[in-house]
């Protein structure tokens, strides 16, 4: 009897464990993602009388908002164009040429992706601003009395900074496809009499198109939803939908107006994301088996005009990619006093001061501590929930699995400002009155990080032969023990990658944070923004360097553990 | 008259000498097959001709003029790769018409040329299809049509049949032969398959380790190989070691193991080089189908029948004379009869004209 009871109990416990593994993350996403978003959309689509499109149509009839909308599209289109113009030649260099450090450059193309946008904006101000390194250099060189280049606080500045972010994405997509493109196609065309440029236009480019289109679509989405860069580089004149949502909600305390804009933005972003997913699927289908492609050396061989063009391009991209980061680093260690630049550690001393700074309305040290603890907490939550979801998504086939996948990956395509607004609206009233609590920010970060955890853990799980856990079952281990003792240790590299991603996303996040932050809950990126807004560039730089250093450290950890996993 | 001449070509990739001093002339309108083991430099040679690689040294002449200064697109070569490399984003018609964009033709002439090729290759009705909607054989025809459309001075085929199944391969190789004959286009056809080379080529070039071993007609190559490598690579052969005991302008007498004297007769017309002198060690090539399983021919050998291999059309008898193993070919009708001889001793014989002396391998 007792035996029978336990025999019935075990499957019950198993089922309970399985259900928790999936129910907990879904509950979390339901409460803190879908419920707030539904509230947001509902308020965007309703008035006192019920459902209406009036709020949305009012956006189009308001000439200022119409202008903002058009500017957002224009800015995103130009940024995409610039990203392609920069990313495509870079992809060509990486596939057609050999040069020392090529592998380094290839892996460095993920760096912009990991950099907090606000630090990039700072770097752009320091290099391209009216008082920036470029203008000062040109003024000194040509004895000019005023800055010759007005790049910043303009459309060009925003587009350039977005290209910094998105050109490497385009490069990664295109280079991956280009390396796999069999050179026989181009050789066939040449044997048929086509000159090089015709081969590129008729053969290479069309065959790279799926990859190029996927990369460009991603660049467009990111530029469309970009917040910190436009906030910092747009000045007062240039505003996008994202910045406008922030202004309405935080500065004008006009939640319903912000909600209407956010609803519209969600709809547009949803359309683009669906378009991107279709392109990406086509791109995946077109990927070919890798064929070694002939490469030329960049350094040896005859130096024709072609080679000089390449060198010029490399110099220009180095300026774009390296100068902003270098400028931040230099600026954090220097102080300019009466045309004299001297080395100083003052800025670092300033950011480690525990006393209140009126400039950022908080103590800088507090913001460092906040960022680290929020990132730690978000990492734990996202890792736990994301791993639970990944286990379910890989190990079982069930009806509605692709729906579940869509539901849990959706935070990838969301504007962080809109998410911040949705949470803000939800948290100000019961049942979820968490407003002003640190957990509000941690929740936002966890939601943004969960898809990345799933992406990191899933491949590790898929590589894990199912036979392994079957063998453990056969030896009598319960599923829970199997998971704990066999599966988790074996996917440790994936878990570590997921954890580092979650940590890095949280610590770099500014858009949702700035919507939810309160005095005392300031984080490092928001502190950088406040320093920057009050033109405390030295302190902003020091804080940025610290932020980048923490993120870099986290990524070095991944790199190391990846190597160990390969060796072990 | 020679259409294309390669003079002392060398090409090295890092530590690999892919082509090591190849000189050969392709005659106008001929189909020259290039065979050799994997990695011997066949593809590299084609790529040198097409201009995708530059030789380290040597010269390539088209119609007597050097083309080394020309880019691939200026050389007017047609090339078909093993995987065809049909442009996947273009229809069959667009693929075939692509090369016509770069020759001075009117629109009407272009349309007519494409139609002509579609007809010639039996592709009519497929012109709107995408390459991925074609069978492997159809893809191969499209690739050929595309290469032929701009009327190249030379057609280069790099194992165009190797991706196909055996039956289709045999059909298509005859088709290539027919087409090549009809159009009279000078062709270099690279293949792994020596049978394919013998079946369709006017002349066959055998390469090994970047070198040209022999260039001659299929019959010559089969019956009178110049090196042991060629003898082993082309067809099956028995190589019998022996010593020359008597040497005359058109005949040799060789002492083989297990046979007192063997007469080797070479008609003087065949002798491309002087026959080996008395005392020289030679190997005699004896093809399996030239062995008579009886004592009715001039040269005789005593053997033991070891085993029999039934292959359908023919059967093979595995024989042993002392340390020497031999293969003899039987018509398959005789299989039953010879089955009973396994383990017995027999006498085989062959004509003096049917053995060919090879210099011993160095
Ligand atoms: N681009 C290259 N870089 C380095 N080595 C090469 C290159 N192309 C060819 N080789 C080497 O040169 C040698 C000859 O290669 P090739 O492709 O010409 O041989 P092949 O006769 O066509 O062989 P297969 O029958 O396998 O196609 C090989 O050892 C090959 O590895
Ligand atoms: Mg080859």
């Amino acid at each position: 009897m007792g035996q029978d009871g336990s025999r019935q109990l075990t499957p019950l416990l198993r089922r309970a464990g399985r259900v928790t593994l999936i129910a907990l993350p879904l509950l979390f996403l339901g409460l803190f993602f879908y419920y707030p978003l539904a509230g947001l959309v509902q308020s965007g689509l309703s008035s006192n009388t019920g459902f209406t499109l009036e709020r949305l149509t009012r956006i189009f009839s308001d000439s200022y908002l119409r202008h903002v909308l058009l500017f957002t599209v224009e800015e995103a289109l130009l940024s995409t164009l610039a990203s392609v113009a920069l990313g495509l030649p870079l992809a060509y260099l990486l596939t057609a040429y050999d040069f020392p450090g090529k592998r380094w450059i290839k892996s460095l193309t993920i760096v912009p992706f990991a950099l907090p946008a606000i630090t990039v904006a700072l770097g752009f101000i320091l290099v391209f601003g009216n008082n920036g390194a470029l203008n000062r250099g040109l003024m000194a060189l040509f004895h000019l009395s005023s800055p010759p280049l007005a790049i910043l606080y303009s459309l060009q500045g925003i587009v350039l900074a977005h290209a910094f972010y998105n050109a490497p994405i385009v490069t990664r997509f295109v280079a991956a496809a280009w390396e796999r493109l069999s050179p026989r196609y181009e050789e066939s065309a040449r044997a048929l009499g086509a000159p090089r440029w015709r081969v590129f236009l008729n053969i290479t480019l069309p065959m790279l198109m799926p990859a190029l289109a996927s990369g460009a679509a991603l660049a467009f989405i990111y530029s469309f939803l970009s917040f910190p860069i436009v906030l910092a580089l747009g000045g007062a004149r240039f505003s996008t939908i994202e910045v406008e949502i922030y202004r309405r909600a935080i500065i004008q305390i006009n939640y319903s107006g912000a909600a209407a804009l956010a609803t519209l933005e969600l709809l547009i972003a949803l359309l683009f994301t669906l378009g991107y997913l279709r392109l990406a699927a086509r791109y995946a289908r077109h990927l070919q088996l890798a064929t070694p492609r002939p490469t030329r050396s960049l350094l040896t061989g005859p130096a024709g005009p072609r080679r000089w063009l390449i060198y010029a391009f490399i110099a220009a991209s180095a300026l774009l990619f390296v100068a902003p980061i270098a400028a931040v680093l230099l600026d954090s260690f220097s102080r300019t006093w009466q045309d004299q630049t001297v080395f100083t550690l003052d800025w670092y001393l300033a950011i480690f001061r525990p006393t209140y700074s009126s400039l950022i309305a908080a103590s800088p040290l507090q913001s460092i501590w906040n960022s680290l603890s929020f990132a730690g907490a978000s990492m734990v939550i996202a890792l736990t929930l994301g791993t639970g979801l990944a286990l379910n998504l890989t190990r079982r086939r069930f009806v509605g699995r692709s729906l579940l996948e869509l539901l849990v990956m959706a935070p990838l395509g969301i504007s962080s400002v809109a998410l911040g607004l949705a949470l803000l609206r939800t948290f100000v009233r019961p049942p979820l009155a968490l407003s002003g609590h640190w957990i509000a920010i941690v929740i936002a970060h966890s939601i943004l990080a969960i898809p990345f955890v799933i992406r990191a853990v899933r491949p590790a799980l898929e590589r894990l032969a199912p036979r392994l856990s079957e063998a453990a079952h056969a030896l009598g281990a319960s599923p829970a023990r199997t998971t704990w003792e066999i599966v988790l240790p074996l996917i440790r590299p994936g878990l570590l990658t997921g954890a580092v991603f979650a940590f890095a996303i949280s610590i770099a996040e500014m858009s949702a944070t700035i919507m939810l932050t309160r005095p005392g809950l300031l984080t490092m990126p928001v502190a950088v923004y406040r320093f920057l807004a009050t033109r405390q560039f030295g302190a902003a730089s020091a804080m940025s360097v610290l932020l980048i250093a923490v993120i870099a450290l986290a990524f070095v950890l991944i790199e190391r553990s990846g190597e160990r996993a390969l060796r072990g | 008259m020679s259409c294309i001449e390669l003079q002392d070509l060398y090409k090295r990739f890092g530590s690999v000498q892919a082509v090591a001093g190849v000189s050969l002339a392709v005659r106008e309108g001929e189909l020259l097959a290039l065979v050799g083991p994997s990695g011997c430099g066949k593809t590299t040679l084609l790529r040198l001709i097409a201009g995708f690689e530059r030789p380290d040294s040597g010269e390539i002449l088209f119609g007597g003029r050097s083309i080394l200064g020309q880019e691939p697109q200026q050389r007017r070569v047609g090339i078909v790769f093993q995987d065809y490399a049909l442009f996947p984003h273009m229809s069959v018609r667009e693929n075939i018409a692509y090369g016509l964009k770069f020759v001075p033709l009117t629109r009407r002439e272009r349309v007519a040329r494409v139609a002509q090729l579609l007809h010639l290759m039996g592709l009519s009705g497929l012109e709107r299809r995408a390459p991925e909607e074609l069978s492997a054989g159809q893809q191969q025809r499209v690739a050929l049509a595309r290469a032929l459309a701009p009327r190249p001075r030379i057609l280069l085929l790099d194992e165009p049949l190797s991706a196909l199944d055996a039956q289709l391969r045999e059909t298509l190789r005859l088709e290539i032969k027919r087409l090549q004959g009809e159009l009279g286009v000078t062709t270099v056809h690279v293949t792994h398959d020596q049978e394919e080379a013998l079946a369709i080529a006017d002349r066959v070039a055998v390469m090994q380790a970047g070198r040209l071993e022999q260039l001659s007609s299929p019959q010559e190559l089969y019956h009178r190989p110049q090196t042991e490598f060629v003898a082993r690579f082309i067809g099956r052969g028995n190589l019998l070691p022996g010593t020359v005991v008597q040497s005359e302008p058109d005949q040799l007498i060789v002492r083989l193991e297990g046979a007192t004297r063997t007469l080797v007769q070479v008609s003087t017309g065949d002798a491309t080089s002087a026959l080996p002198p008395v005392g020289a060690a030679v190997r005699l090539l004896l093809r399996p189908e030239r062995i008579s399983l009886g004592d009715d021919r001039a040269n005789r050998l005593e053997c033991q029948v070891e085993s029999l291999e039934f292959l359908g059309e023919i059967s093979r008898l595995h024989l042993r004379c002392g340390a020497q193993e031999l293969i003899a070919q039987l018509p398959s009708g005789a299989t039953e009869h010879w089955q009973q001889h396994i383990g017995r001793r027999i006498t085989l014989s062959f004509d003096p004209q049917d053995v060919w002396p090879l210099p011993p391998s160095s």
Side-chain angles (χ1 to χ4, degrees):
Chain A
M1 172 77 209
Q3 273 229 316
D4 273 346
S6 78
R7 221 178 258 162
Q8 279 167 2
L9 201 62
T10 319
L12 213 66
L13 275 178
R14 277 185 198 175
R15 173 128 356 132
R18 203 178 297 163
V19 167
T20 325
L21 217 54
I22 194 163
L24 214 61
L26 285 183
L27 187 71
F28 185 85
L29 283 176
L31 272 184
F32 300 125
F33 185 67
Y34 286 104
Y35 170 64
L37 276 189
L40 182 81
V41 172
Q42 193 216 356
S43 111
L45 293 179
S46 66
S47 66
N48 302 336
T49 52
F51 175 80
T52 174
L53 286 177
E54 196 207 315
R55 281 180 195 277
L56 292 192
T57 49
R58 222 189 298 151
I59 296 176
F60 293 100
S61 53
D62 180 327
S63 78
Y64 173 70
L65 286 181
R66 218 166 43 222
H67 175 77
V68 166
L69 246 154
L70 277 179
F71 179 76
T72 311
V73 173
E74 181 189 2
E75 160 271 306
L77 277 177
L78 287 176
S79 301
T80 308
L81 220 63
S83 305
V84 170
L86 197 62
L88 195 60
L90 266 177
Y92 168 72
L93 274 184
L94 285 177
T95 34
Y97 286 91
D98 259 331
F99 45 90
K102 175 167 157 171
R103 286 184 48 171
W104 262 92
I105 302 229
K106 256 190 197 167
S107 42
L108 282 180
T109 51
I110 62 158
V111 165
F113 207 69
L115 283 179
I118 192 66
T119 62
V120 173
L122 173 66
F124 269 74
I125 292 175
L126 294 176
V127 175
F128 298 105
N130 287 349
N131 207 12
L134 195 59
N135 269 322
R136 279 206 313 265
L138 289 173
M139 280 161 72
L141 203 62
F142 299 107
H143 308 291
L144 303 172
S145 54
S146 61
L149 298 174
I151 297 177
L152 229 51
Y153 310 116
S154 70
L155 180 60
Q156 292 100 295
I158 294 172
V159 166
L160 217 54
H162 284 164
F164 174 95
Y165 257 93
N166 294 311
I169 294 178
V170 173
T171 301
R172 284 178 83 83
F173 270 79
V174 174
W178 212 329
E179 276 164 4
R180 285 181 165 83
L181 181 67
S182 162
R184 304 291 161 262
Y185 294 109
E186 286 138 321
E187 285 169 1
S188 295
R190 289 192 76 193
L192 288 168
R196 279 174 193 276
W197 66 274
R198 289 291 294 266
V199 175
F200 181 77
L201 279 187
N202 304 131
I203 312 296
T204 317
L205 200 57
M207 294 192 71
L208 293 178
M209 205 34 104
L212 185 60
S214 304
L218 215 53
F220 184 87
I221 294 173
Y222 284 140
S223 308
F224 189 84
L225 297 180
S226 147
F227 173 69
I229 286 181
V230 183
L231 186 67
L233 299 185
R237 280 192 21 239
F238 298 100
S239 182
T240 58
I241 303 182
E242 287 275 292
V243 174
E244 205 52 35
I245 295 173
Y246 162 75
R247 283 197 183 144
R248 292 195 161 201
I250 300 302
I251 298 172
Q252 304 166 5
I253 323 283
N254 171 7
Y255 286 2
S256 60
L261 260 184
T263 305
L264 181 67
E265 191 199 40
L266 281 178
L267 290 176
I268 299 176
L270 187 70
L271 278 181
F272 285 136
T273 308
L274 288 179
Y276 163 71
L277 289 177
R278 289 192 65 154
L279 283 174
R282 245 183 54 194
Y283 162 58
R285 195 147 41 83
H286 275 262
L287 269 189
Q288 307 189 332
L289 283 179
T291 328
R293 291 179 67 85
T295 50
R296 269 170 288 175
S297 165
L298 195 56
L299 301 179
T300 56
R306 186 191 182 81
R307 173 98 11 123
W308 288 115
L309 204 68
I310 290 173
Y311 288 159
F313 175 77
I314 291 175
S317 14
L319 179 70
L320 182 71
F321 286 108
V322 179
I325 302 171
V328 171
L329 193 64
L330 276 180
D331 197 62
S332 75
F333 284 111
S334 60
R335 183 192 281 281
T336 304
W337 184 249
Q338 292 178 339
D339 283 350
Q340 285 274 329
T341 302
V342 291
F343 175 85
T344 178
L345 287 175
D346 286 358
W347 305 121
Y348 287 94
L349 295 177
I351 63 163
F352 283 113
R353 210 171 291 147
T355 51
Y356 181 86
S357 152
S358 63
L359 293 169
I360 60 170
S363 100
L365 186 63
Q366 174 80 46
S367 75
I368 296 171
W369 169 245
N370 282 345
S371 272
L372 291 174
S373 42
F374 294 174
S378 311
M379 183 179 82
V380 171
I381 295 177
L383 193 65
T384 314
L385 301 180
T387 307
L389 285 170
L391 278 170
N392 273 288
L393 282 173
T394 27
R395 291 217 333 225
R396 279 173 257 285
R397 308 213 137 263
F398 51 89
V399 230
R401 194 174 83 157
S402 45
L403 178 69
L404 176 69
E405 182 161 2
L406 193 68
L407 282 179
V408 301
M409 298 305 274
L412 274 184
I414 200 80
S415 128
S416 312
V417 172
L419 176 66
L421 175 66
L423 288 173
L424 184 64
R425 288 180 69 265
T426 311
F427 289 160
V428 290
R429 49 179 170 256
L432 296 172
L434 296 168
S435 180
H437 200 281
W438 61 266
I439 195 74
I441 294 175
V442 169
I443 286 171
H445 291 182
S446 304
I447 284 173
L448 293 171
I450 283 174
F452 286 89
V453 173
I454 295 177
R455 273 193 177 175
V457 175
R458 235 177 125 164
L461 277 172
E462 271 159 7
R463 271 197 302 276
L464 193 72
R467 265 172 286 132
L468 214 58
S469 43
E470 276 163 22
H473 282 309
L475 291 173
S478 72
R481 273 187 73 170
T482 316
T483 304
W484 192 252
E485 290 177 1
I486 313 265
V487 177
L488 289 186
L490 280 173
I491 59 166
R492 207 171 48 201
L495 289 177
L496 191 73
T497 307
V500 168
F501 262 104
F503 185 89
I505 285 166
S506 167
I507 208 164
E509 216 290 328
M510 174 174 137
S511 313
T513 317
I514 207 170
M515 302 293 285
L516 296 166
T517 192
R518 289 288 182 282
L521 294 183
L522 201 70
T523 62
M524 291 163 79
V526 182
V528 172
Y529 171 62
R530 297 234 173 118
F531 276 130
L532 191 151
T534 50
R535 309 195 65 76
Q536 295 295 306
F537 292 129
S541 297
M543 189 66 97
S544 295
V545 170
L546 189 65
L547 187 53
I548 293 172
V550 171
I551 293 172
L553 203 71
F555 276 93
V556 167
L557 209 68
I558 301 191
E559 214 43 30
R560 279 285 183 80
S561 77
E563 271 172 30
R564 227 182 302 135
L566 282 182
R567 260 189 268 124
Chain B
M1 132 146 205
S2 74
C3 163
I4 288 181
E5 223 179 311
L6 314 181
Q7 294 174 348
D8 210 23
L9 282 180
Y10 282 84
K11 178 70 187 179
R12 168 186 283 276
F13 296 107
S15 62
V16 180
Q17 189 70 50
V19 172
V22 169
S23 300
L24 69 85
V26 189
R27 295 181 193 141
E28 188 80 56
E30 84 171 327
L31 200 172
L32 185 127
L34 192 56
V35 295
S38 187
C40 70
K42 306 180 294 289
T43 298
T44 307
L45 203 61
L46 282 201
R47 294 175 63 80
L48 286 168
I49 298 173
F52 300 129
E53 309 285 357
R54 296 191 54 81
D56 299 331
S57 66
E59 185 56 270
I60 302 177
L61 306 172
F62 275 29
R65 231 174 281 150
S66 170
I67 50 139
L68 283 183
Q70 289 181 356
E71 295 277 300
Q73 63 266 33
Q74 300 167 314
R75 294 193 182 185
R76 291 185 53 210
V77 296
I79 192 160
V80 175
F81 292 110
Q82 184 175 352
D83 56 4
Y84 314 138
L86 295 177
F87 307 135
H89 55 295
M90 297 186 191
S91 67
V92 166
R93 175 196 295 285
E94 288 164 334
N95 264 284
I96 298 175
Y98 188 73
L100 298 174
K101 291 183 182 179
F102 312 105
V103 285
L105 287 178
T106 65
R107 200 184 155 67
R108 179 178 300 198
E109 285 165 333
R110 271 183 208 141
V111 172
R113 178 76 178 149
V114 173
Q116 182 193 6
L117 281 158
L118 284 167
H119 176 74
L120 194 66
M121 307 300 291
L123 289 167
S124 305
L126 301 176
E127 49 267 56
R128 296 240 170 99
R129 295 255 188 108
E132 58 179 8
E133 297 166 341
L134 300 177
S135 72
Q138 289 167 334
Q139 289 183 9
Q140 202 262 351
R141 288 189 196 125
V142 175
L144 261 176
R146 181 178 74 178
L148 288 169
R151 301 184 197 278
R153 286 190 289 196
I154 184 166
L155 182 64
L156 305 175
L157 310 174
D158 192 358
E159 308 198 32
L161 302 176
S162 64
L164 308 173
D165 63 60
Q167 223 166 5
L168 193 54
R169 208 151 58 207
E170 280 189 26
T171 326
L172 285 178
R173 79 186 187 201
L174 288 178
E175 207 166 301
I176 289 180
K177 172 81 181 156
R178 171 187 66 84
L179 195 75
Q180 192 272 339
E182 269 172 36
L183 299 175
V185 55
T186 312
T187 303
V188 178
H189 178 111
V190 167
T191 173
H192 257 107
D193 182 348
Q194 42 97 8
E195 182 190 311
E196 183 180 308
L198 296 180
I200 65 172
D202 298 316
R203 290 192 302 158
V204 180
V206 183
M207 279 183 76
Q208 189 212 356
R211 278 173 212 289
L212 190 62
E213 288 273 323
Q214 185 170 354
L215 170 57
S216 40
S217 71
Q219 290 82 359
E220 175 93 12
L221 201 67
Y222 186 77
H223 295 299
R224 290 175 285 277
Q226 295 302 307
T227 64
E228 187 177 334
F229 174 80
V230 174
R232 286 186 188 279
F233 190 76
I234 303 289
R236 279 165 182 277
N238 301 298
L239 291 179
L240 312 171
T243 316
V244 177
V245 293
Q246 191 180 326
S247 179
E248 282 163 37
D250 60 352
Q251 70 174 37
L252 292 174
I253 294 180
V254 175
R255 187 194 308 280
L256 295 179
E257 286 174 36
T260 38
R261 292 156 90 73
T262 299
L263 182 65
V264 177
Q265 223 155 40
V266 180
S267 68
T268 21
D270 291 340
T272 44
S273 54
L275 290 174
V278 173
V282 290
R283 278 162 180 256
L284 298 183
L285 171 66
L286 175 60
R287 296 289 183 189
E289 69 277 11
R290 298 298 169 102
I291 293 178
S292 164
L293 294 165
D295 53 7
D296 52 336
R297 308 291 158 94
N299 297 308
R300 298 196 182 94
L301 276 173
E302 293 282 316
C303 295
Q304 167 128 359
V305 181
E306 299 258 289
S307 62
L308 190 144
E309 201 180 357
F310 175 67
L311 296 169
E313 282 170 56
I314 56 150
S315 292
R316 284 203 194 108
L317 216 48
H318 292 259
L319 308 162
R320 172 182 293 279
C321 320
Q324 178 72 35
E325 287 179 13
L326 278 172
I327 298 172
Q329 184 175 317
L330 299 173
S332 65
T335 307
E336 307 259 303
H337 170 73
W338 284 98
Q339 194 87 46
Q340 297 157 10
H341 284 73
I342 294 180
R344 295 197 196 151
R345 293 197 69 81
I346 60 160
T347 302
L348 61 79
S349 61
F350 50 91
D351 279 332
Q353 300 91 318
D354 288 342
V355 268
W356 173 253
L358 287 166
S361 54
S362 44

